[in-house]
């Protein structure tokens, strides 16, 4: 018996519960374009190398193209009767082209085939994600431009540290995202090798030409070791690690949107079209998209752990465990795309509230560092300056006075070294302007960064 | 504007991309039975407490029952136009019963509603999983009975340690699974409190009767703090932790099946109906179901991490992040069920190969511990006995002899304290019979364990 | 050669780098009390069962007790020259009692010995952690009593939902912690079986009495399967899962302390003795302990993942991988203890700022739900009431008016069904008082909960 | 009061339990060299920019150098009385150089200082790990050379797939490790920017020269955004992700060593100097180092999860949670170094057993794919060839014959298309020789790969 394509040696049918349990077609069907593209390249190579007749190759290519169209159009639906997308495509191909279909799988195993499909998928996702990262960076840059001049509290420990430009804060996210894009690039480069031709694990005795297939499919190189080629899922795990870290970044950004949109912070206003309400409480308008983005960081981390755990301790070469690589990968790619996309839209619907930011700064004491640096500029050792200003802050607090209400005499009571220009530092805006160190929050530095990013990112989404 | 049920204060529509991003109906629709069951109980309580008219309550209950049937039959399909299953049910209810539907949500928020639905779901899954664990334990017990008398190598460090009964080894898994069942029981008990009536977070000013709802829905108690009731997802995380640990157990079992089914170990034969073949290598018959079970341990761990990460650092009470609790929960429950189920079937299709096991033991030196214990029985301090037998083993190895081929003289050359009955210990079966310590691998102990488990598990699946 | 206690069959020394790599004594030395306690019980049993002479047993017990004292006093320091704490203790014992020490390890393997030590450790940690949880609950209860009467905004989505009593919020944490304590209890019960007597994996041929050892060490039962007894680390993983979930709870609590202590929220004041300052910014006072607790949630989750990953796919019985169970376990126990402890102290140094809370509520619209429920009480279907109040909120917002400033006429313009007593609902305190549903935030309910917890927790720390 | 360097505004001492809980000096003291190196560069810059007097700068540099020597020599031991290594160094510096020490911290915060120290640490660890990876690759290459000519079963699903050269299998690991090295390189490049000069988060008003410091410390660039510079821990997480994936690779390698060293596989012999014995079972020799490496994969994954979880949802800029970045980082770096190192030694102590490998291949049917490819070479469509060989395998199995014992007539009974040279394919060695496809297992291809790697890796360890 054995009605399976691999059933020659089997004297009995696979148990139906085993078929159900091991079938992957419900999720790997989304690889169909990649699978067929790989098969077409494989067929071209087989014919070119004289492994299959040219006439059969033509039939196979036309047939594969038809299967692709049928699946794309929903006319052929790979279903539970097929083990996986590879078998589904081949089965339908056989219905279309007849026995020539039996030639397709020469010099190929599902082991190298699925590795190929998955690399093509990852390559495509990396390109899409990098484009979405660029888009989000552009939206952040646009938001930074709109926020020009807005000074907000800069936080450490969620306490006011020093005033910063809102634009400077947004550019911090542009930097983070840039590392994400670069990580995905690195992942893509390491993934950019052709596994096809590795066969089950040993290579093949047929006279194939892997370099030709690599050229057809646009890979920079051929995987140099056949055992590694079918055992390796680094590109999946590295992708998931990059996605998890991007997810952490987005969770931080989301946390800040939630915080800043709170009644207490009121640093931003989120347009109501980007909020949702409560089924019970009529007054509510919640920043749900940001919260969901923050929450989705969890599933990105979970997907990474799933893949790491799955691969742990697996002997070479292919093991069926590795079928479990796909769902976390697909879910992570979809999730990250959706989060990047909604975040881009969200920043277009966020407005800083300069008035509330100004009110928040009043009396917060966040000019203190500048006072200390002023003293340093006048020769006071920093620790001494820090102590003097610390006493000043404590005294002002006891007196119920804001720093900005202090007089020069009061400053000098804390340290006689305060110069007359020290009073200017009690203006939050002035402290911002003075942070002219490279990468600092002064308008000059921030404008430079905005211009630099504008050049790098271009005006329009790709 | 604001066409949403919560849209009263909104002056603009939710952005379509936000609707898509935040919608949960594609996955929470599987909660529909629980949702409607909860609503029916809620309606009964509202009427009983005089909060809504009895006639409306009757209409609502009939309408809800109809919605339930429609969804079950696929006649009503909650879709992307609904935010979530709760809104979908209510929307369809309104079409059926008219304005009375507007009374349903009194004294209720989606926050306590979804907490209820999810607890009902978890309760059901725990019952199902515990039944599947019991079934797998029964199949292991049956396999242990079939393997009566088969002696296999007992491994530590994957090296032969001491011979054990195959049945004894299988019973180790029965023990593990029993802890799993007990953990799920504990999780179920802690989850068994009614959140409904907590409202959005504060309770309600309407004169509800939570204890009555708890009775209707079979909860042992009412959640005692309304803020906690809507903030808590412990029952999700604890379920996922129990599932991950069960997954680790199954991965160990699966690893052993893969190992034992290898050509090298050949301790078991897996029926071909539980194997699959290779698309390339005609001779292959692979234990794929076991490999997949091993691999699926990864996604169970991943789901746990997803939920832990998602909840980390969330302030009380409900946050939208918590919508992300469902997919890992559903996936883990489905995955664990499938793994338990296939493993039960698999053990029915596994046969120990007593001949190969006997061959594997021959010359493996795994009687050495018994020789040492024999010496201890004759007054030799254990370390001294261990050294003597160690030398004996080394000497036999150098001479290319198996322990079972040694003579009494050879034993006595290593230690003069060996008694004449020491030779009997060179038979692996005899060493097994002598492990009469409580919980040891002697046939008497193992039979006692089999009988004890037979009583506890009963003959038939529930 | 082979100078190791197990070196009889070895013809060469272990490579020094292997000794260093595999040694565990640097971390398992903290198990020394448990190890010696287990050995003493083992010795008593060996003597009672006639396996070793009574005189040797006396010597061994005295010697073990001396080793214990020496290690406790730092006079004997197990070091890198010993593989692990078990070998270190035995080596020192041999120096003290001479050849009798060679009898100690009869009928025992390090496999069951280390399983025993670790269970004793986990048992102790669970007791300590449960006591610390109780202490933290008591501090929260004390804080709740101090906060009697303070009304704060109740948040969902970090937006004002409905006003709640601060005490009610704190009691939500008491509930959470109670589930933690219960989870640890369940873990402890499942861990409460004696592995000793399992030997390496098969039991022993010597006439031991495991039940006697269990009684001596206070275990409720004997592990019923010797293979499982040495393969099982469920108690480690379950402990880590309970710790990770407790860590998530503490991270949420910590997040709220950080939030509430922010200048923007100002709902609490954290005593300066529980803050730290900035090396640069003189005005800073940061809630570092809470931040660190929040951060330490990460390592608790990491420890769980470490243990799950380590155990994944391990065949039975003992494998050396399992040595890796200890460091995450120790670290998680220490971390959780420290976090519970500092949090208890922290709550003693937190004061709610009733004035700021009152100011925060003003104009927040969080009475809206009560207005809607008021209409429901007068027969208006809830959705209709929700819409009416939604319109009212929107109108008030446009008019720049707080809900509490509305007149009855304005209410009736939104819905003619508003009764004259509706105006009372515009007082936040009144809306709190009306949440009389079981578990709601009314003073009556909260007082009942405080009394109930006071009874359960008792007045003093154990 | 406030005896802390930041205590100016504090009116009370930090609680001792808070000091203990927040102190990091017990673990961050290992950063002392990096910390001092960074301070020296900072001092040079401060002097050059005229922020501190040159004479003080000289004193500070000399003093810092002395502190470095004192800590290195154990003469100064930063202890619990210091908060962290930064404060400890500064405190000791003050004892040495007096008030000039108060000038050190000008234009610097611990936020940018610790970010610098950690980047220097990561940079050093990456270099060390890359060197260890290269060393392990070289040992694998040497092992591959020693194994020249040894044919072993190639496994998929732990079943014999096709015979492969042992050297080919080892080279698969060389490939994997190469990706690891490349990932660490990428991580290092992204980490290679100077955070110092970011101050607490906003930059500084003092006229610093960050580019000069970058040059002094060998960074390729200056972190372009001060907020990002102190908020970013990507380099920690990316390092941990690379370490976790390398750990997965090592766990797979370790699994194979454990498997192959088992009595059942016997494909390798591990020298006894790399094994350890059993405290109970005198005959045991266990491959403990490999098992431990496999187990340590868990803690590498755990460290990654710890860091991801810790950073999730943190608002910018610095939060104290981030102090928790160090211990997982240190532990992962130490663990990975130790694993790479022991593995390099292990491969020097592993010998393939060509005789056992040959015996294992006999009768395993793993020539089947070559028979099918032979038919394809003669024009038979692959699926048809696969079926024919499948039947042949089944028939041989029923007849109890190995493929290598079949006659041409028997082959032709399965397919008349078998040519006379088919019989040669029944020799496993011949099937290996024919895998001449690029990256395949033929001796020619493998030799080419060995030569190529020899060139790339060089002969000696760096």
């Amino acid at each position: 018996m054995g009605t399976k394509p691999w059933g020659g040696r089997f004297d009995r049918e696979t148990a139906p519960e085993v078929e159900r349990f091991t079938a992957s077609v419900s999720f790997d069907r989304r690889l169909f374009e990649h699978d067929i593209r790989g098969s077409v390249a494989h067929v071209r190579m087989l014919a070119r190398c004289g492994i299959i007749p040219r006439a059969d190759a033509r039939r196979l290519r036309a047939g594969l193209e038809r299967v692709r169209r049928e699946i794309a159009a929903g006319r052929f639906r790979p279903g539970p009767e097929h083990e996986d997308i590879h078998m589904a495509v081949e089965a339908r191909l056989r219905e279309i082209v007849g026995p020539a279909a039996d030639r397709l799988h020469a010099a190929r195993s599902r082991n190298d085939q699925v590795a190929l499909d998955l690399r093509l998928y990852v390559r495509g996702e990396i390109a899409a994600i990098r484009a979405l990262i660029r888009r989000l960076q552009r939206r952040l840059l646009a938001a930074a431009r709109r926020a020009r001049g807005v000074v907000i509290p800069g936080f450490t420990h969620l306490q006011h540290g020093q005033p910063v430009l809102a634009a400077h804060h947004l550019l911090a996210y542009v930097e983070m995202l840039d590392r994400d894009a670069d990580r995905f690039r690195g992942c893509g480069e390491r993934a950019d090798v052709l596994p096809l031709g590795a066969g089950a694990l040993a290579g093949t005795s047929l006279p194939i030409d892997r370099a030709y297939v690599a050229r057809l499919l646009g890979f920079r190189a051929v995987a140099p070791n056949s055992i590694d080629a079918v055992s390796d899922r680094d590109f999946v795990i590295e992708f998931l690690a990059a996605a998890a870290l991007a997810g952490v970044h987005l969770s931080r950004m989301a946390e800040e949107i939630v915080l800043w949109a709170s009644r207490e912070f009121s640093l931003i206003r989120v347009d109501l079209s980007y909020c949702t309400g409560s089924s019970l409480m009529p007054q509510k308008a919640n920043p749900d998209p940001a919260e969901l983005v923050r929450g989705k960081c969890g599933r990105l981390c979970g997907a990474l752990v799933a893949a790491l755990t799955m691969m742990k301790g697996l002997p070479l070469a292919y093991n069926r465990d590795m079928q479990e690589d796909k769902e976390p990968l697909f879910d992570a790619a979809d999730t990250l795309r959706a989060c990047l996309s909604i975040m881009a839209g969200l920043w277009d619907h966020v407005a800083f509230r300069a008035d509330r930011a100004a009110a928040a700064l009043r009396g917060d004491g966040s000019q203190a560092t500048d006072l200390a640096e002023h003293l340093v500029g006048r020769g006071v050792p920093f620790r001494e300056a820090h102590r003097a200003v610390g006493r000043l802050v404590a005294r002002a607090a006891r007196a119920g006075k804001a720093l900005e209400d202090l007089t020069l005499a009061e400053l000098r009571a804390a340290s006689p070294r305060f110069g007359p220009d020290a009073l200017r530092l009690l203006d939050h805006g002035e402290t911002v302007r003075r942070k002219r160190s490279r990468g600092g929050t002064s308008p000059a530095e921030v404008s430079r960064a905005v211009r630099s990013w504008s050049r790098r990112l271009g005006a329009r989404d790709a």
Side-chain angles (χ1 to χ4, degrees), chain A residues 142-158:
Chain A
R145 279 198 210 92
R146 286 196 307 276
R148 195 157 287 186
V150 178
V151 177
I152 60 172
F155 295 88
T156 61
H157 308 258
L158 209 63

Side-chain angles (χ1 to χ4, degrees), chain A residues 187-309:
Chain A
C187 171
E189 284 176 11
R190 276 180 285 277
D192 192 19
V193 294
L194 175 82
L196 209 68
L201 81 157
T204 177
S205 62
L206 295 168
I208 62 173
D209 182 350
R210 297 181 67 202
Y212 177 66
V213 178
R215 278 199 306 281
L216 289 178
L217 295 171
F219 284 101
R220 69 166 168 80
V222 153
N225 182 294
S226 60
I227 296 175
D228 178 49
V230 297
S231 309
D232 170 34
R233 288 298 182 272
D234 282 14
F235 59 102
V236 173
I237 293 177
E238 190 175 353
F239 179 95
L240 292 172
L245 185 41
V248 167
H249 290 164
L250 294 173
S251 80
R252 302 182 72 181
M253 190 187 281
E255 168 83 3
E256 297 203 309
I257 290 173
V258 171
L259 271 179
W260 293 353
S262 71
R263 183 175 171 82
E264 279 70 15
F265 279 77
S266 289
L267 287 179
I268 56 170
R269 183 176 285 114
V270 180
D271 191 271
L272 283 180
S273 64
Y274 264 70
C275 293
T276 62
S278 160
S279 68
L280 175 62
M281 298 172 289
Q283 89 284 5
K284 291 297 291 292
N286 301 319
D288 290 70
E291 293 170 83
L292 256 184
V293 166
R294 187 177 57 187
K296 282 177 190 294
C297 175
R299 80 203 280 165
L300 291 170
C301 292
L304 171 59
V305 167
L308 284 167
T309 311

Side-chain angles (χ1 to χ4, degrees), chain A residues 23-344:
Chain A
S24 58
V25 75
S26 63
F27 51 86
D28 66 15
R29 55 164 291 168
R30 68 191 277 174
L31 294 175
F32 80 95
E33 301 245 27
H34 304 303
D35 193 67
I36 289 172
R37 193 175 160 208
S39 287
V40 167
H42 185 62
V43 163
R44 288 179 63 181
M45 182 276 290
L46 290 177
R48 181 183 158 108
C49 296
I51 299 168
I52 64 170
R54 292 211 169 263
D56 279 355
R58 274 192 300 276
R59 251 173 253 127
L60 287 169
R61 288 175 60 184
L64 284 163
E65 178 50 28
R66 185 168 146 197
V67 176
R68 196 192 62 69
R69 285 195 311 269
E70 287 183 357
I71 299 179
R75 288 197 307 274
F76 170 53
R77 297 181 184 277
E81 67 279 16
H82 306 106
E83 289 181 69
D84 52 35
I85 186 62
H86 324 297
M87 289 304 180
V89 168
E90 192 175 320
R92 180 69 191 123
L93 182 66
R94 193 167 295 108
E95 291 172 1
I96 295 172
V97 305
D102 282 357
R103 298 197 184 275
L104 173 64
H105 211 61
R108 193 172 71 170
S109 159
R110 274 183 295 187
N111 297 354
D112 55 345
Q113 184 179 3
V114 71
L116 170 63
D117 294 5
L118 216 50
R119 280 177 193 263
L120 290 170
Y121 170 83
V122 162
R123 198 164 72 177
E125 289 302 305
I126 286 176
I129 285 168
R130 281 169 52 86
L132 287 166
I133 290 174
R134 292 306 177 214
R135 181 147 74 96
L136 176 51
Q137 287 178 306
R138 278 190 208 95
R139 305 330 302 149
L140 283 162
L141 199 60
R145 279 198 210 92
R146 286 196 307 276
R148 195 157 287 186
V150 178
V151 177
I152 60 172
F155 295 88
T156 61
H157 308 258
L158 209 63
Q159 299 286 327
H160 289 202
Q162 296 177 285
V164 296
L165 287 181
H168 190 53
H169 194 111
L170 295 178
L171 287 174
Y173 280 111
V174 175
E175 295 288 340
M176 282 190 200
L177 289 165
D178 214 53
R179 288 190 295 275
D180 290 322
D182 199 53
R183 256 186 295 276
F184 276 110
R185 182 197 51 71
C187 171
E189 284 176 11
R190 276 180 285 277
D192 192 19
V193 294
L194 175 82
L196 209 68
L201 81 157
T204 177
S205 62
L206 295 168
I208 62 173
D209 182 350
R210 297 181 67 202
Y212 177 66
V213 178
R215 278 199 306 281
L216 289 178
L217 295 171
F219 284 101
R220 69 166 168 80
V222 153
N225 182 294
S226 60
I227 296 175
D228 178 49
V230 297
S231 309
D232 170 34
R233 288 298 182 272
D234 282 14
F235 59 102
V236 173
I237 293 177
E238 190 175 353
F239 179 95
L240 292 172
L245 185 41
V248 167
H249 290 164
L250 294 173
S251 80
R252 302 182 72 181
M253 190 187 281
E255 168 83 3
E256 297 203 309
I257 290 173
V258 171
L259 271 179
W260 293 353
S262 71
R263 183 175 171 82
E264 279 70 15
F265 279 77
S266 289
L267 287 179
I268 56 170
R269 183 176 285 114
V270 180
D271 191 271
L272 283 180
S273 64
Y274 264 70
C275 293
T276 62
S278 160
S279 68
L280 175 62
M281 298 172 289
Q283 89 284 5
K284 291 297 291 292
N286 301 319
D288 290 70
E291 293 170 83
L292 256 184
V293 166
R294 187 177 57 187
K296 282 177 190 294
C297 175
R299 80 203 280 165
L300 291 170
C301 292
L304 171 59
V305 167
L308 284 167
T309 311
M310 181 269 286
M311 290 300 284
K312 180 246 171 179
L314 283 192
L316 308 187
Y318 183 83
N319 301 279
R320 188 65 176 261
D321 317 52
M322 291 156 73
Q323 177 172 308
E324 288 287 310
D325 57 358
K326 282 173 212 66
E327 285 162 290
L329 174 63
F330 295 163
D331 189 66
D334 293 348
T335 297
L336 183 56
R337 281 199 198 210
C339 290
L340 288 166
S341 198
I342 204 75
M343 271 299 189

